[in-house]
Amino acid sequence: MAKRERKKVEEGGEVKERLLSGATRLFASKGYAATTVREIVEWAGVTKPVLYYYFRSKEGIYLELMREPFGKFAAVVDETLLEAGSARERLFRLCLRAYDILLENIDAARVMYSIYYGPPQGAPFVDFDAYHHRFQQAVLQVVREGVRNGEFRRVNLEDAVWAVIGPLNVAMEVELCHPPQGIGRDGVRRVLELVLEGIATDRKADGENGRKR
């Protein structure tokens, strides 16, 4: 690639990032419906045609904003199901990586929560329920494998799934709504340890790294 073309691509990437960053902050603080294209381009320091060139519309920039974190989330789920390791280790990886994605995309998560739980704002449809269901099914699969191989006791699988997901969801919502009260990644790990100890047949591992007790 010629130097001039490479520079153009790099500058284009920076412009897209500024537009996405501005839209994310505005959507999170004002709401999707109340945010205008003019405000987004003013924040990014570009003109409206530039936004239309990269995203076509406010709807397009919103869909791109949702695509990146959910793409990472889907990849984490797929990777965890394919990875080696005990069921306990894989559950720790799955939950802690999901928590990491939330923290890395906290403003985008606030936008998602406001769209999902708040009044209609006219945003394009994103099937948030499908991602939540996918996560539930991943946890269910790993728990089932843990029961099958004797790592976990024979418990009600649905109950076990909610026992794992419940604390994670609460920790995420606290980070979104009351950050000073957040328990952080280590706190999430400690709570998951308590949950998984409750269904374990043999307490051998400690947390994500599988350290012997």
Side-chain angles (χ1 to χ4, degrees):
M1 181 184 295
K3 184 176 181 180
R4 180 178 297 178
E5 292 176 342
R6 184 167 59 250
K7 182 178 180 181
K8 187 175 181 180
V9 169
E10 291 172 353
E11 290 175 348
E14 292 175 2
V15 170
K16 288 185 68 175
E17 285 302 314
R18 291 207 308 272
L19 286 165
L20 282 169
S21 177
T24 303
R25 296 197 179 189
L26 289 165
F27 292 159
S29 61
K30 297 186 61 175
Y32 175 83
T35 298
T36 65
V37 168
R38 178 181 60 79
E39 290 172 318
I40 295 172
V41 298
E42 285 180 354
W43 196 99
V46 298
T47 61
K48 288 184 180 180
V50 174
L51 182 147
Y52 297 143
Y53 174 77
Y54 287 110
F55 300 104
R56 297 190 176 181
S57 63
K58 185 173 82 168
E59 291 80 4
I61 201 169
Y62 167 80
L63 290 172
E64 179 68 15
L65 172 63
M66 293 293 106
R67 182 193 65 79
E68 183 175 354
F70 280 117
K72 291 179 181 177
F73 174 78
V76 161
V77 170
D78 291 342
E79 289 168 6
T80 303
L81 294 179
L82 293 173
E83 286 175 340
S86 68
R88 180 188 176 100
E89 290 169 343
R90 293 162 69 205
L91 285 173
F92 269 98
R93 290 177 200 147
L94 179 60
C95 292
L96 292 175
R97 288 172 181 174
Y99 183 78
D100 290 341
I101 290 172
L102 174 95
L103 294 185
E104 292 165 4
N105 301 272
I106 193 73
D107 282 337
R110 289 193 176 100
V111 175
M112 184 271 286
Y113 269 70
S114 69
I115 296 293
Y116 187 80
Y117 292 108
Q121 297 189 47
F125 176 74
V126 175
D127 194 353
F128 299 124
D129 286 330
Y131 291 98
H132 184 70
H133 181 71
R134 188 173 186 178
F135 187 75
Q136 282 182 281
Q137 290 302 305
V139 173
L140 176 62
Q141 179 176 328
V142 179
V143 170
R144 181 183 289 119
E145 291 172 5
V147 171
R148 187 182 300 129
N149 66 28
E151 186 178 346
F152 297 147
R153 294 185 292 110
R154 292 192 174 278
V155 295
N156 182 289
L157 295 179
E158 295 293 337
D159 290 348
V161 169
W162 284 112
V164 171
I165 292 178
L168 177 64
N169 283 346
V170 171
M172 288 179 166
E173 291 182 7
V174 170
E175 287 292 345
L176 286 167
C177 304
H178 308 285
Q181 300 176 24
I183 61 176
R185 198 176 194 271
D186 286 343
V188 173
R189 180 182 55 78
R190 291 193 303 271
V191 174
L192 286 173
E193 284 177 355
L194 293 176
V195 171
L196 296 181
E197 283 176 2
I199 64 173
T201 55
D202 185 10
R203 300 180 184 180
K204 289 183 179 179
D206 180 16
E208 184 178 23
N209 299 318
R211 297 185 297 272
K212 298 294 184 180
R213 287 177 181 249

